[in-house]
């Protein structure tokens, strides 16, 4: 079946032949035959399409839809070790296991992501400074190649395949299953603290001061304010025996039911939202107990929020710049964005920790990361990105493929010097719009 498929940024719906993969059988070891594309056509694994740009798209080719392959294969209640099929949703792991005292060791800002997608983009969470990225926790994974070969790898087994596949953008084969440890938690509630700041220097001081004692840190900044006012949020899992509410929070029920004819994000709505958000949080500063759902996944509370950008969709720009010279680079980026009047709600600023990345193409590296959305205003937006690319490139930084739809090949190759080392591990039957744009095939 050929249908139009797009990713979270809704920039580029293009026809794809979709090949659903079912539960891949439940016998051990798993054995199955993959649906193959038409002769001459390439294929690409597709999880939930929660990537913003073209890393999960293969226009005019085929997609393996993996979300149906979501069986849990084993769970060790002593060690927390879970083995599951790669289409398993992080949301299901959290929902079923958090009330039993287990949670994922790393989770991105949406729970509607598959385990395979989390590995292929080597996603990070608010605890990168303590726990590293998702791939740091994967103990083993199984790859199915288009030539029928199966490879099981991990940090200590075929480690070269593991390094190519973690953060490997789906290009080394289909990840069919993975083993990773869940972590013990006393409850699904977190002890959080919110602190408003009115300049970037204060953000850096708060980040440094919080690293030792707080597992999760993140901040929102107002991209229209070049001084960098914002809100810093830090949290730890609640202690055993701490008193917590007995009921989980009710779902907000909010939904963006249709795509408006024009983007609802413009200079006026942006200024109003940012001012309101900043002052609302300034007035609510301090400690409180938060359920993991609104803390980890605030945007999941509004279904289809990506429609608010209208029919032209939106870009996300996420970069990381090394600590050395990074503060100046972030200040320069924010100044450019503020001058342009573009940018959107909820620009996120965070410092990454010092762990070496597990994947050859993993995004997270020691430094400062900035992420923000931009309504697609065509050339005007692309020209701004070129100026931002120059700042990131000069600072020795890189952009995040999971969020990208347009970075030039030169910036990718300078930001990911190990990209050529990864090429021998690619599956020749697999290709994506992004791989063709950045790696030539
Ligand atoms: C609201 C929101 C917040 C986010 N917050 C964060 C964040 O805090 N941190 C972060 O790191 N990311 C974040 N992301 C990005 C998101 O976590 C990643 O893009 C994630 O990889 C999407 O997973 P997916 O299952 O939707 O995969 P897709 O987007 O469908 O695919 C992503 C990549 O994984 C590959 N892939 C998928 N399944 C498999 C498989 N079984 N085998 C091999 N390759 C596979 C695809 O080919 C593609 O290259 C956020 C996204 C949204 C929408």
């Amino acid at each position: 079946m050929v249908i139009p498929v797009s990713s979270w940024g809704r920039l580029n719906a293009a026809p794809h032949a979709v090949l659903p993969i079912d539960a891949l059988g439940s016998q051990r070891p798993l054995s199955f035959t993959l649906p193959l594309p038409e002769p001459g056509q390439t294929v690409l694994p597709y999880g939930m399409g929660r990537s913003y740009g073209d890393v999960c798209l293969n226009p005019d080719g085929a997609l393996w839809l993996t979300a149906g392959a979501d069986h849990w294969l084993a769970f060790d209640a002593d060690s927390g070790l879970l083995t599951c099929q790669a289409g398993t949703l992080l949301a299901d792991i959290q929902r079923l296991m958090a009330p039993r005292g287990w949670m994922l060791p790393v989770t991105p800002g949406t729970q509607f992501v598959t385990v395979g997608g989390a590995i292929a983009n080597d996603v990070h969470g608010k605890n990168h400074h303590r726990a590293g990225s998702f791939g740091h926790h994967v103990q083993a994974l199984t790859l199915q190649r288009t030539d029928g070969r199966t490879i099981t790898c991990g940090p200590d087994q075929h480690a070269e395949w593991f390094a190519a596949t973690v953060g490997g953008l789906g290009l080394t084969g289909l990840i069919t299953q993975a083993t990773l440890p869940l972590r013990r938690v006393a409850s699904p509630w977190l002890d959080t603290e919110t602190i408003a700041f009115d300049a970037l220097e204060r953000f850096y001081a708060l980040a440094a001061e919080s690293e030792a004692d707080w597992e999760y840190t993140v901040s929102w900044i107002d991209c229209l304010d070049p001084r960098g006012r914002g809100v810093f949020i830090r949290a730890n899992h609640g202690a055993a025996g701490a008193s917590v509410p007995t009921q989980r929070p009710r779902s907000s029920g909010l939904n963006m039911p249709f795509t408006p004819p024009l983007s609802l994000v413009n200079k006026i709505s942006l200024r109003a939202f940012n001012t309101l958000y900043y002052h609302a949080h300034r007035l609510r500063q301090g400690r409180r107990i938060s359920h993991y759902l609104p803390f980890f996944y605030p945007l999941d509370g509004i279904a289809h929020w990506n429609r608010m950008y209208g029919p032209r969709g939106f870009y996300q720009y996420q970069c990381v710049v090394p600590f050395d010279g990074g503060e100046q680079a972030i200040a320069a980026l924010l100044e450019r964005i503020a001058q342009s009047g573009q940018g959107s709600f909820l620009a996120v600023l965070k410092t990454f920790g010092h762990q070496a990345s597990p994947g050859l193409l993993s995004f997270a590296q020691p430094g400062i990361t900035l992420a923000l959305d931009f309504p697609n205003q065509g050339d005007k937006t692309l020209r701004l990105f070129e100026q931002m690319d120059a700042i990131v490139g000069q600072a020795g930084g890189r952009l995040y493929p999971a969020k990208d739809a347009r970075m030039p090949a030169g910036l990718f190759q300078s930001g990911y010097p190990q990209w050529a080392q990864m090429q021998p591990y690619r599956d020749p039957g697999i290709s994506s719009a992004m791989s063709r744009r950045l790696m030539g095939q």
Side-chain angles (χ1 to χ4, degrees), residues 222-227 267 270-271 331-343 372 374 380 384 387-388 391:
D222 179 353
C223 67
L224 294 180
D225 173 21
R227 282 174 317 137
K267 267 190 197 168
L270 182 55
R271 196 168 293 283
L333 286 168
L334 289 172
E335 200 176 306
R336 259 326 283 121
I337 296 166
Q339 276 165 5
S340 78
Q342 300 185 58
L372 72 165
F374 291 86
K380 186 175 161 194
L384 171 64
Q387 296 165 9
M388 294 170 66
I391 298 170

Side-chain angles (χ1 to χ4, degrees), residues 34-45:
L34 277 180
L36 286 177
E38 298 289 319
Q41 221 181 25
T42 58
V43 64
L44 181 73

Side-chain angles (χ1 to χ4, degrees), residues 8 45 47-51 55 109 113-114 117 120-121 123-124 169-170 175 400:
W8 193 246
M48 290 291 284
R50 252 28 183 211
S51 301
V55 71
V113 158
T114 61
N121 275 328
V123 301
H124 56 270
L169 314 179
I175 303 166
Y400 189 8

Side-chain angles (χ1 to χ4, degrees), residues 7-8 44-52 54-57 63-64 66 86-90 107-126 142-143 165 168-177 296 299-300 305 314 316 318 363 400-403 430 432:
S7 59
W8 193 246
L44 181 73
Y46 183 95
M48 290 291 284
R50 252 28 183 211
S51 301
Y52 283 66
D54 57 359
V55 71
C56 58
L57 298 178
L63 293 176
W64 277 319
T66 64
T88 302
L89 278 190
L90 303 193
T107 177
T110 174
Q111 57 176 343
F112 300 118
V113 158
T114 61
V115 167
I119 296 172
N121 275 328
D122 193 15
V123 301
H124 56 270
K126 297 177 175 68
T142 304
L143 261 187
T165 300
L169 314 179
L171 300 172
T172 61
L174 177 76
I175 303 166
T176 54
Q177 67 177 65
F296 287 140
L299 287 171
D300 287 350
W305 62 262
F314 69 109
Q316 183 166 114
Q318 180 167 5
F363 164 67
Y400 189 8
K403 309 290 181 72
I430 293 184
S432 67

Side-chain angles (χ1 to χ4, degrees), residues 82-416:
L82 171 69
T83 300
C84 62
Q85 290 184 327
T88 302
L89 278 190
L90 303 193
D92 288 337
I93 299 176
Q94 301 285 60
R95 178 174 55 81
L96 292 166
M97 299 311 286
R100 294 172 171 77
W102 298 100
M103 291 189 82
L104 287 161
V106 166
T107 177
T110 174
Q111 57 176 343
F112 300 118
V113 158
T114 61
V115 167
I119 296 172
N121 275 328
D122 193 15
V123 301
H124 56 270
K126 297 177 175 68
N127 59 351
H128 184 273
H129 60 286
R130 292 279 282 274
S133 57
F134 199 87
H136 277 109
H137 301 272
V138 176
Q139 296 196 353
L141 62 84
T142 304
L143 261 187
Q144 177 81 33
R145 308 263 292 178
T146 53
D147 62 4
R149 202 167 142 211
T150 301
I151 300 166
T152 297
C153 59
D156 306 316
Q157 183 188 11
H158 298 303
E160 67 291 359
W161 281 99
F162 187 71
T165 300
V166 171
L169 314 179
L171 300 172
T172 61
L174 177 76
I175 303 166
T176 54
Q177 67 177 65
T179 299
L180 69 154
L182 303 185
R183 55 161 299 173
R184 270 253 177 242
V185 293
S187 80
W189 297 82
L190 294 114
D191 175 14
T192 70
E193 183 170 19
T194 303
I195 304 165
F197 58 87
D198 58 10
L200 285 177
E201 298 76 57
R202 181 78 185 117
F203 160 78
Y204 294 115
L206 281 165
E209 142 199 335
S210 306
E211 262 186 23
D213 296 330
W214 295 87
E215 173 156 2
Y216 301 97
T217 64
V218 69
S219 78
W220 163 85
I221 53 166
D222 179 353
C223 67
L224 294 180
D225 173 21
R227 282 174 317 137
R229 70 175 173 181
V231 177
F232 191 92
I233 303 170
R234 53 193 185 185
N236 281 321
H237 286 283
S243 103
V244 293
T246 47
Q247 298 242 307
R248 64 186 245 159
R250 264 185 295 167
S251 146
S252 72
L254 295 173
N255 182 12
M256 185 78 205
F258 60 91
T259 305
L262 289 174
S263 169
L264 301 183
V265 181
N266 54 47
K267 267 190 197 168
I268 299 166
S269 62
L270 182 55
R271 196 168 293 283
F273 176 91
N274 283 4
T275 304
L276 206 71
Y277 189 91
Y278 175 74
H279 289 293
H281 280 79
R282 197 171 55 80
L283 295 173
R284 290 180 70 233
Q285 289 188 83
R287 298 283 276 259
R288 60 178 49 79
I289 302 290
S290 288
H291 192 265
Y292 80 86
L293 283 170
F295 177 75
F296 287 140
Y297 314 115
L299 287 171
D300 287 350
I302 307 174
H304 306 295
W305 62 262
N306 56 342
R307 290 178 179 160
M308 78 180 163
Y309 289 93
R312 298 182 76 183
F314 69 109
Y315 292 93
Q316 183 166 114
Y317 192 97
Q318 180 167 5
C319 63
V320 57
V321 288
F323 285 115
D324 189 12
E327 294 186 19
Q328 293 85 331
I330 295 291
L333 286 168
L334 289 172
E335 200 176 306
R336 259 326 283 121
I337 296 166
Q339 276 165 5
S340 78
Q342 300 185 58
S344 181
F345 316 134
L346 303 172
V348 174
L349 192 61
K350 174 166 173 57
T351 47
F352 281 148
H354 291 272
Q355 299 91 330
S357 285
L360 294 174
L361 298 185
S362 290
F363 164 67
Q365 66 172 10
I368 311 159
T369 181
L370 171 70
L372 72 165
D373 296 343
F374 291 86
N376 175 17
Q377 299 183 53
D379 285 349
K380 186 175 161 194
T381 310
L382 295 175
R383 277 198 302 275
L384 171 64
F385 290 158
E386 280 171 23
Q387 296 165 9
M388 294 170 66
D389 289 349
I391 298 170
V392 172
Q394 240 164 18
R398 50 167 73 149
L399 303 191
Y400 189 8
K403 309 290 181 72
D404 179 64
R406 42 64 53 191
M407 85 168 107
L411 185 60
F412 170 73
Q413 293 174 8
S414 66
Y416 294 88

